[in-house]
Structures are given as C-alpha cells and as structure tokens.
C-alpha cells in the first residue's frame, strides 16, 4: 500500500496502478454517500483533493486510466458520434394489451402454450411501464464496462461515459456478483426535474423538451457528457441480459436481487396468483399514476417462473411471457383546418387531418390520421369542424368524432380524390380480397412510376431496418429526390451508391458541399456511411425492396431459407413465371403464405422492378445469411414436422423448441423432412413420412433425443 502522501511524480507504475484503483473506489464511496445517502463523510475540500490526485496520476500514466475512473464520470472528451455496440442478447419489445379482456387472453395463451390446465396456478408479476428509454448495462467483475441504448434491439449506441454520470447507475456493484452481469432498465426523468430543466432551458434561450421522455433521451444521447451530467436523470432496473450465473429462478426474486446489488427498482412491482387481483393492481396504478412523480404508460405483466419463461420463448421481437397493458389514450378538442393526402410506399392514399395545435397528454398535436375515405364518411367530418382527438403512446393521433353543436356555417365537406395526387394522375383503385370483399384503402397502382411511391420506397430502403444509412433520412431523401441536378439526384436505390462517383465528376457548383445544410464534413460522413453499407446482409436487402407483406421477420425467414441473393432471386423469378414448385417451396417456410408469394411474384414479374433491383445489386456485396443457428444440438440443421396430438407441449411450443435447437419446424412432410415427431392420431403426414422412409419418433423419444428427458 502506498502512503497517500507520496508525491505523484515519485510513484512507480505499479504503485500508480494500485493507487488509481484505491482512489476510484474511495471516490465512488464518497459519491454514493453524498448523492445516494445524502450523508457525506468528508469535507468538499478533501473530496476535491482526492479527485485532483487521481487526475494528476492519470496525467502522468495515461495508459493506466481505468474504464470507470472518476475522471470519466463527468466531462469526458467529445466524440463525433456514438459507437455501435452489439447486445450480447437482443433487447426485446413488448406486445400490448389494451383491455382487461386482452390480459385474460394473454394468461389463457400462456397456459395453452404450456399445456397447463385452464385453472392451474400461474404466478405473474405486475409493475409500471416506465415511459423513458431502455438501457443495457454490462458489468464485468462487478464493474460497469458498457452502457448501450436499445437501438434496433440487436445493436445499440455506446453511451457508457454518459451513463456513468447518472447517480442511480452504480459504477460498481455491491457484494459478491457473477463475473458477467447485464442489467436492463429504463432511464427516465422525474416530473419536477423535467419542469426545472425546461425552465432553465427557456431562460437560456434553448429548446424546451416536449415531455420527460424526450428530455431523458436528449440528455442521455449527448456527445458532451458534462451536459448529461448536468441533467437530472434516473434509472429503474427491471430486467437483465447476459448473466454468467443466474442467482434466482423467478422474476420477482431477480428484481429483489437487482436491488440488493445496488439498483433502484420500482416499488410498485407485485406478484399475483389471481388474475382479478392483478387487474385490480393495474387499475389502482392507473388511478394513482399522476401522483408517482414520473411518467408511466401502462403496466407490464411477466410470468414469474423463469423456467416457464424459457419454455415460452419469443415471437419475433417480443417475449411470449410478458405483455404491456397500456393505459387508455388521452383526449383533447381542437379545430380541423384541412385534409391533406399522404401517399405511402404501397400507393395507399391516406387522408391526414391538419389540426389547430393542441396539447394532448403533454404533447403538441398538429396532425391526425383519418385512415381512409370510409373513415371520413363514418365520422361525418367537414373542414372547419371542431373535433375530438386522442393520442396513445407513440401512435399517430386519431380523430374520435365531431362536436356537432360547434359546426360553423362555413364548414365544407371534403371530396376524396379519385386519381393519384401525383402528376401522372393514375386512377385510384380499391382492392378486393380473395372473397371479393372491397377493401377500404384507395391505392395508386403506379408503383415505381409514381413519384410519391418511389420516394417512399427510397425512405423505406434507407431506414433503420433496411440499409440503415446514417445521415440519410426522410428529409435528405426528399432533398435528393427533388434535386434538379442530375449528379445529385436520387431517384432509385442504385443512385444512392453511385452518388459519390457522380459527384466526383461534377462541376464545382453542383458539389454537394456547396449546398445549404451541407459542408465538407457532413458530405464526407454521408459518403462514408453509404460506403459502409455497400456490404449488407441478405435479409436487409430483401426487406429494403419494399415488397408488400415482406416485413422484417419474413425477410429474415427468406434470407435464411435461400441464403444467397442469387438463389433468392432465382426463386422469386420462378415464382413470377407461375412455377408451382417454387411457390410450394416458399410457402413451406414458417409463417409464409399465399399473400407473400403472390406479392413476391407480382414484384418480380414487373420488368421495371427487376431492372431496378439488378442495378442496385450490382452496387452491393450481399452477405449470405447465416445458416440456422449452428447449435450443437442433435437436431441442429434438421427439418422437423410435428404431427398428431402432443401431450407434453403444445404445437407452438414444439415449433419454438425446435427452432431454439437450431432446427426448422415445417408444416408439411416433404422429401426434405429429416424427422417426424408423431403423437397419437397422426394421419396423412405420418403415412407420407413412412412412404418417403423418413424417421418417425414419439414425443417422449423427442425429449430424450434433445436431452430434456425428465
Ligand atoms: S420488460 C423482454 N419492464 O417498454 C422484456 N420493459 O415496449 C423487456 N419498459 O423496450 C422489457 N418499463 O424500454 C419491461 N417495467 C418494464 C418496463 C419496460 C418500460 C419499456 C422497455 C421496452 C419497452 C417495450
């Protein structure tokens, strides 16, 4: 141990190392006493001296600076932008329930999936859904090493330095903890802190925040961490990611543990065995929400038993074992100024109400969706009317109805256009379903010929789930799309990737950097971001094409099944020529049905689309999709069909289990099937399996094979 008084310039490297360790711990302890317990143990001057000594040693031995050094807790150097961090386990979202009945359905669904009796005991936890932004904190050997935002759930932003400035985020965990602990929760701002912050902002002539959540997000995502440090942020822990060891077997046990290692957890979390009690707790929280001092937007229910959570698993991005019961939307009354038409990526013409600005639940609302012409008719709304609007969470506000007695004599009925609002004026059509039922949406069939649709396609393509190009958002696409100069115009996907080349040949006047809003650095950043995306995973390419019914999950399924662009394209082209085998093959994939194959066929039967796609692919290096989880389970890579009645698990659980083990669960038996698991009553599928000579096993044998016998 080095005497505290040894002058910094006399310390050896080893001494400096242990001294920095000791100082970090000591300063953290004082911080905890000062901020957490409001009971400082030393004078401010003594505290400052500790920090000063820490800083002096770091200056002499820069390479010894600890990741969690006290000097990094505030005012660390400004970085250009946040680094990306891949989450060890994805950060999920939650499915929503909007009524008590939805909650009962959820419980019934859980029981059904687990093959439990309808009245079997099922413990659920209930806790407020905090309206902030989620954060994942990674601790190694008890020390905070990374803090990352949710991002797209797989990759988030590294906000470690900023997170260290939040008092309720411990830099070091308390007590004996597993080597790797990832804690997840919500960063939020209390109402009184939010009000005070906005007051300070207004006084300083800076922007005021619309609501506490925006303020929290804006404060955490600051490039200068001293700004974050000056903002009153707080953190509630409610979940976890990777753990090298899991100390408890229940949700409630884990939350209590999170508290014991130094986190704030929400005091309103409770465990229930009775659904009526759980729902009563929801209504109690709803009635008292205004007194909590922070925003919540619902109550989250989770299956308490973690073994059951594991069996339940996930659908797409949401766990089957949890649901968010949202509070009803907030309402207000205002005036309808006009109705505009918005043309979407699929040509849908959506009427949008322009409203006199009104505050609904703390947010200023100026637009509301009217969905379609039938909705305008149903509401009987006219321009100039006073209308009731409602806003629920992040959803676009809606118009609930007209206040009839306030209709002015000047009110004007609205006539919905019969032709596309673009220059081509293509007639709008109403789609009919297979059963001949007329749809409500009016669509322009112009597709890529329609400038509005092309533009929306481009926005979709560069969006977060598509190519995710930094600095190329909706605003920029509009700008490039409309640009007069050919060398600056982006009218189709490939144009994005030829932009830099076209720019290089361009005269000085039409160089991007010479336009308003652009500069040397932002242009370089944009080109770098585009270049970075030239190599892109197959599922993102498929998603980005904007084929109807081909969303994120379907794109991933297709990418995994066809693995390379070439084989996907071949399948799509065969589909387009009406090849039945190609159709059957694609429809045998999980969750893919006629709507998808039809849409893919339609897309690829348009020569213009094919040419456009070819031009795009020419610019790219498409990464092959990962083969289904290279797990070392005995069924990894196999295609399995479950048939007959299963006794130990539901059909859905069986499918989910196979997928977890790296296998594919198919709906029908074909020559590609590797294994059939047959329960009592299996019929035609079993027969087919026998014909093809495919191995057939019982449900019990299945459990033995995958090593979950007992
Ligand atoms: S649990 C796997 N619990 O809500 C489930 N989420 O809509 C992980 N949120 O991204 C989330 N309060 O940011 C959970 N008590 C709570 C929550 C909560 C707020 C947020 C979280 C999540 C979002 C999903």
């Amino acid at each position: 141990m080095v005497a505290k008084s040894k002058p910094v310039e006399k310390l050896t490297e080893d001494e400096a190392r242990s001294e920095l360790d000791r100082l970090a711990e000591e300063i953290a302890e004082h911080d905890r006493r000062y901020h957490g317990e409001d009971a400082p143990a030393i004078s401010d001057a003594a505290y400052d001296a500790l920090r000063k000594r820490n800083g002096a040693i770091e200056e002499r031995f820069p390479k010894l600076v600890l990741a969690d050094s006290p000097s990094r807790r505030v005012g660390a150097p400004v970085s250009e932008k946040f680094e990306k961090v891949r989450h060890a386990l994805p950060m999920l979202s939650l499915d929503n329930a909007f009524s008590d009945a939805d909650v009962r359905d959820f419980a019934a669904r859980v029981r059904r999936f687990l093959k439990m009796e309808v009245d079997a005991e099922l413990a659920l936890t209930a806790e407020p859904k905090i309206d902030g932004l989620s954060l994942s904190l990674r601790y190694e050997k008890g020390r905070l090493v990374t803090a990352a935002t949710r991002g797209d759930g797989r990759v988030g932003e590294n906000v470690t330095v900023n997170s260290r400035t939040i008092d309720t985020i411990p830099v070091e965990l308390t007590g004996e903890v597993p080597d790797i602990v990832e804690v997840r929760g919500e960063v939020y701002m209390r109402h009184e802190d939010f009000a005070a912050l906005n007051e300070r902002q207004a006084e300083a002539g800076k922007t005021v925040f619309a609501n506490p959540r925006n303020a929290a997000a804006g404060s955490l995502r600051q490039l200068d961490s001293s700004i974050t440090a000056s903002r009153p942020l707080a953190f509630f822990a409610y979940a976890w990611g990777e753990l090298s060891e899991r100390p408890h077997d229940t949700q409630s046990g884990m939350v209590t543990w999170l508290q014991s290692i130094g986190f704030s957890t929400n005091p309103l979390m409770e465990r229930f065995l009775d659904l009526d009690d759980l729902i009563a707790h929801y209504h109690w929280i709803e009635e008292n929400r205004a007194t909590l001092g922070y925003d919540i937007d619902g109550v989250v229910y989770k299956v308490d038993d973690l073994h059951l959570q594991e069996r339940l698993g996930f659908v797409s991005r949401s766990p089957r074992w949890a649901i968010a019961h949202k509070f009803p939307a907030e309402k207000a009354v205002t005036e309808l100024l006009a109705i505009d038409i918005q043309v979407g990526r699929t040509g849908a013409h959506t009427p949008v109400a322009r409203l006199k600005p009104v505050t609904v639940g703390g947010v200023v609302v100026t637009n509301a969706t009217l969905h379609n012409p039938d909705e305008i008719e149903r509401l009987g709304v006219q321009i100039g009317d006073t209308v009731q609007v409602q806003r629920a969470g992040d959803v676009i506000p809606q118009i609930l109805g007209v206040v009839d007695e306030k209709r002015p004599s000047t009110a004007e009925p609205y006539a919905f256009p019969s032709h596309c609002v673009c220059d081509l004026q293509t007639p709008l059509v109403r789609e009919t379903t297979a059963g001949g039922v007329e749809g409500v949406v009016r669509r322009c069939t112009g597709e890529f010929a329609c400038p509005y649709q092309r533009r929306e396609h481009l926005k979709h393509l560069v969006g977060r789930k598509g190519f995710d190009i930094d600095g190329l958002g909706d605003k920029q696409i509009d700008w490039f799309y409309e640009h007069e100069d050919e060398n600056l115009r982006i009218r189709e996907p490939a144009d994005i990737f030829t932009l830099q080349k076209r720019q290089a040949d361009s005269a000085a006047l039409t160089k991007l950097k010479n336009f308003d809003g652009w500069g040397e650095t932002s242009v370089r950043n944009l080109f770098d971001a585009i270049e970075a995306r030239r190599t892109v995973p197959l599922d993102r390419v498929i998603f980005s094409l904007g084929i109807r019914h081909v969303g994120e999950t379907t794109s991933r399924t297709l990418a995994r099944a066809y693995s390379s662009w070439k084989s996907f394209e071949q399948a799509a082209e065969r589909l387009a020529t009406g090849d039945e085998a190609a159709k059957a093959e694609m429809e045998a994939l999980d969750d893919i049905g006629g709507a998808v194959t039809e849409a893919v066929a339609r897309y690829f039967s348009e020569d213009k689309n094919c040419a456009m796609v070819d031009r795009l692919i020419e610019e790219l290096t498409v990464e092959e999709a990962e083969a289904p989880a290279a797990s070392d389970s005995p069924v990894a890579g196999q295609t399995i069909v479950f048939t007959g009645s299963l006794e130990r698990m539901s059909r859905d659980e069986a499918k989910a289990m196979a997928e977890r083990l790296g296998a594919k669960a198919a709906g029908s038996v074909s020559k590609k099937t590797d294994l059939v698991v047959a329960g009592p009553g299996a019929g035609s599928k079993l027969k087919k399996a026998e014909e093809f000579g495919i191995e057939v096993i019982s449900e019990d044998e299945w459990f033995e094979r995958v090593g979950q016998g007992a």
Side-chain angles (χ1 to χ4, degrees):
M1 176 94 187
V2 186
K4 274 186 202 173
S5 51
K6 186 162 181 178
V8 172
E9 57 283 4
K10 295 232 167 101
L11 292 175
T12 65
E13 191 171 314
D14 275 347
E15 286 171 337
R17 188 176 291 117
S18 63
E19 177 76 321
L20 284 175
D21 253 330
R22 187 186 60 78
L23 282 166
E25 223 163 89
E26 199 172 330
I27 292 170
E29 177 58 26
H30 291 308
D31 283 344
R32 193 153 46 233
R33 284 173 152 268
Y34 184 83
H35 295 291
E37 296 161 25
D38 222 7
I42 54 171
S43 70
D44 285 359
Y47 175 79
D48 286 343
L50 290 177
R51 290 191 76 110
K52 211 164 146 194
R53 184 169 170 84
N54 185 72
I57 302 175
E58 286 184 345
E59 204 171 9
R60 226 193 112 203
F61 299 98
K63 66 171 201 244
L64 297 185
V65 177
L66 294 169
D68 60 353
S69 158
S71 66
R72 291 206 172 173
R73 286 187 75 115
V74 274
V78 177
S79 65
E80 271 274 336
K81 44 180 174 227
F82 298 102
E83 261 175 56
K84 302 260 158 149
V85 185
R86 180 166 286 277
H87 299 299
L89 291 174
M91 288 180 81
L92 303 159
S93 38
L94 291 171
D95 204 6
N96 292 324
F98 296 100
S99 64
D100 296 355
D102 287 352
V103 177
R104 293 183 193 281
D105 281 351
F106 162 71
R109 218 159 44 232
V110 166
R111 286 199 173 91
R112 225 175 14 249
F113 188 94
L114 296 169
K115 272 220 147 177
M116 286 164 70
E117 298 288 331
V118 281
D119 51 0
E121 189 174 278
L122 177 68
L124 296 173
T125 59
E127 63 197 286
K129 184 171 189 302
I130 316 297
D131 198 6
L133 68 151
S134 48
L135 190 67
S136 185
L137 304 165
R138 187 177 173 93
Y139 293 83
E140 290 176 6
K141 298 213 183 314
R143 288 199 166 182
L144 177 63
V145 291
T146 327
T149 61
R150 181 174 187 280
D152 66 1
R154 288 161 192 269
V155 177
E157 284 177 326
N158 188 334
V159 289
T160 314
V161 180
N162 291 355
S163 302
R164 285 181 201 287
T165 69
I166 300 176
D167 290 341
T168 39
I169 293 184
V171 171
E172 201 153 332
L173 300 179
T174 313
E176 284 277 308
V177 291
D179 280 356
I180 296 173
V181 175
E182 275 184 13
V183 175
R184 291 174 176 178
E186 205 85 353
V187 175
Y188 67 100
M189 199 178 279
R190 298 185 58 83
H191 289 154
E192 54 188 15
D193 292 331
F194 167 70
L197 170 64
N198 262 355
E199 216 166 280
R200 289 201 301 275
Q201 291 284 106
E203 256 166 41
K206 296 187 185 147
T207 44
V208 294
F209 295 99
N211 54 47
R213 177 160 46 92
N214 287 357
S219 302
L220 185 66
R221 297 185 68 265
Q222 281 289 336
L223 292 174
D224 177 354
S225 66
S226 67
I227 298 183
T228 310
S230 73
R231 301 274 173 85
L233 294 172
F235 180 78
F236 273 130
Y238 52 65
W240 55 93
E242 190 181 351
L243 292 174
S244 51
E245 213 178 301
R246 194 182 66 198
H248 289 272
D249 280 345
T250 59
Q251 180 76 33
S252 45
M254 283 294 291
V255 170
T256 310
W257 175 72
L258 288 174
Q259 204 180 352
S260 75
I261 61 172
F263 290 95
S264 303
T265 58
N266 195 283
L268 297 178
M269 176 171 141
E270 269 187 56
R271 176 177 178 274
F272 295 93
L273 289 173
D274 186 290
L275 215 48
D276 291 329
D277 294 344
L278 174 110
I279 291 172
H281 189 55
Y282 164 88
H283 289 291
W284 184 88
I285 292 177
E286 183 189 12
E287 272 158 36
N288 291 283
R289 68 192 274 207
T291 65
L292 297 180
Y294 48 87
D295 275 355
I296 62 175
D297 57 349
V299 173
V300 183
Y301 308 126
K302 299 172 187 169
V303 170
D304 195 37
D305 182 332
L306 300 184
H307 298 295
L308 296 184
Q309 285 194 4
E310 270 158 26
R311 282 178 59 193
L312 284 156
F314 309 93
V315 206
S316 197
R317 298 287 189 92
S318 317
R320 280 197 194 84
W321 44 262
I323 199 158
H325 190 176
K326 302 296 272 292
F327 293 134
E330 309 199 54
K331 298 171 189 152
V333 162
T334 188
E335 195 184 316
L336 175 70
L337 303 175
I339 295 178
D340 289 342
I341 296 289
Q342 230 166 41
V343 184
R345 178 167 57 83
T346 60
H349 278 46
T350 306
V352 178
R354 305 293 177 207
L355 304 169
K356 192 164 156 198
V358 62
T359 308
V360 192
V363 172
V364 180
V365 168
T366 51
N367 300 317
T369 177
L370 283 161
H371 301 289
N372 54 59
D374 294 16
E375 176 72 0
I376 297 180
E377 202 171 304
R378 188 186 70 82
L379 291 166
V381 64
Q382 300 191 358
I383 294 160
D385 267 340
T386 295
V387 292
Q388 192 183 35
V389 290
Q390 100 169 1
R391 185 186 71 90
D394 281 338
V395 191
I396 308 168
Q398 283 184 306
I399 294 196
L400 292 179
V402 176
V403 186
D404 288 332
E405 50 292 4
K406 290 213 172 155
R407 171 163 292 169
S409 57
T410 52
E412 264 179 63
Y414 173 76
F416 200 85
S418 56
H419 290 72
C420 184
V421 290
C422 76
D423 289 345
L424 300 175
Q425 302 211 348
T426 317
L428 300 184
V429 296
R430 270 179 103 135
E431 274 172 10
T432 46
T433 63
V437 182
E438 273 204 325
V440 286
V441 178
R442 306 298 193 279
R443 234 178 262 283
C444 161
T445 54
E447 302 224 334
F448 279 94
C450 168
Y452 289 103
Q453 287 179 64
R454 289 179 83 131
R455 195 187 301 206
E456 293 312 309
H457 263 287
L458 286 167
K459 290 176 187 171
H460 171 82
L461 181 121
V462 298
R464 218 174 64 184
K465 296 175 181 171
F467 279 74
D468 190 17
I469 299 178
D470 266 351
L472 196 55
D474 290 3
K475 242 175 47 199
Q476 288 79 13
I477 289 288
D478 281 333
W479 191 85
F480 282 115
Y481 191 92
E482 277 161 23
H483 213 284
E484 294 154 13
D485 189 87
E486 247 175 59
N487 286 329
L488 268 177
R489 214 183 277 153
I490 294 179
R491 285 282 165 91
E492 66 162 65
D495 292 350
I496 296 169
F497 293 94
T498 58
L499 181 66
Q500 186 169 10
K501 216 168 33 203
R502 288 183 287 136
Q503 272 282 295
D505 306 334
S506 166
L509 256 183
T510 56
K511 289 266 195 242
L512 184 52
K513 64 170 194 216
N514 297 328
F515 284 90
D516 252 9
W518 294 98
E520 200 87 55
T521 317
S522 58
V523 171
R524 189 163 12 90
N525 287 345
L526 175 66
F527 288 159
D528 286 350
I530 293 174
E531 281 316 302
R533 291 293 187 268
R534 234 183 241 285
T535 303
V536 58
L538 178 60
D539 59 326
R540 284 187 179 255
V541 177
I542 296 175
F543 175 84
S544 76
L545 299 181
I547 304 168
R548 287 198 65 197
H549 308 297
V550 180
E552 205 184 354
T553 309
T554 306
S555 303
R556 224 175 282 145
T557 306
L558 289 170
R560 284 217 189 110
Y562 294 98
S563 78
S564 72
W565 168 258
K566 222 182 163 110
S567 58
F568 169 71
E569 191 186 33
Q570 274 166 3
E573 283 169 353
R574 276 168 57 209
L575 264 187
T577 61
D579 183 330
E580 284 298 323
K583 184 167 146 72
E585 193 178 289
M586 199 175 284
E587 286 178 15
L589 299 174
D590 257 357
D591 296 323
I592 291 189
V596 172
T597 49
E598 219 167 274
V600 173
R602 219 167 79 89
Y603 192 97
F604 281 86
S605 58
E606 246 341 301
D607 288 344
K608 267 197 254 159
N609 290 350
C610 293
M612 186 200 72
V613 171
D614 285 347
R615 286 192 292 271
L616 171 66
I617 297 296
E618 196 133 302
E619 296 294 328
L620 305 175
T621 306
V622 182
E623 287 175 331
E624 301 212 342
E626 287 165 31
S631 100
D632 48 11
S633 87
V635 295
Q638 298 193 349
T639 300
I640 299 172
V641 174
F642 293 92
T643 181
S645 63
L646 302 174
E647 275 149 11
R648 293 172 59 181
M649 54 186 171
S650 66
R651 188 66 60 89
D652 284 342
E653 182 176 3
K655 269 174 100 173
M657 188 171 170
E659 274 159 21
R660 224 172 21 242
L661 293 163
K664 205 171 83 186
S668 58
V669 175
S670 75
K671 291 204 170 106
K672 285 198 197 149
T673 311
D674 296 297
L675 183 66
V676 171
V677 180
S684 63
K685 290 183 194 170
L686 177 59
K687 231 175 99 198
K688 213 161 166 194
E690 283 160 358
E691 261 171 47
F692 289 154
I694 295 165
E695 185 185 6
V696 178
I697 60 174
S698 70
E699 191 183 1
D700 284 338
E701 286 167 328
W702 160 258
F703 276 100
E704 271 162 38
R705 177 159 307 187
V706 299
Q708 299 176 16

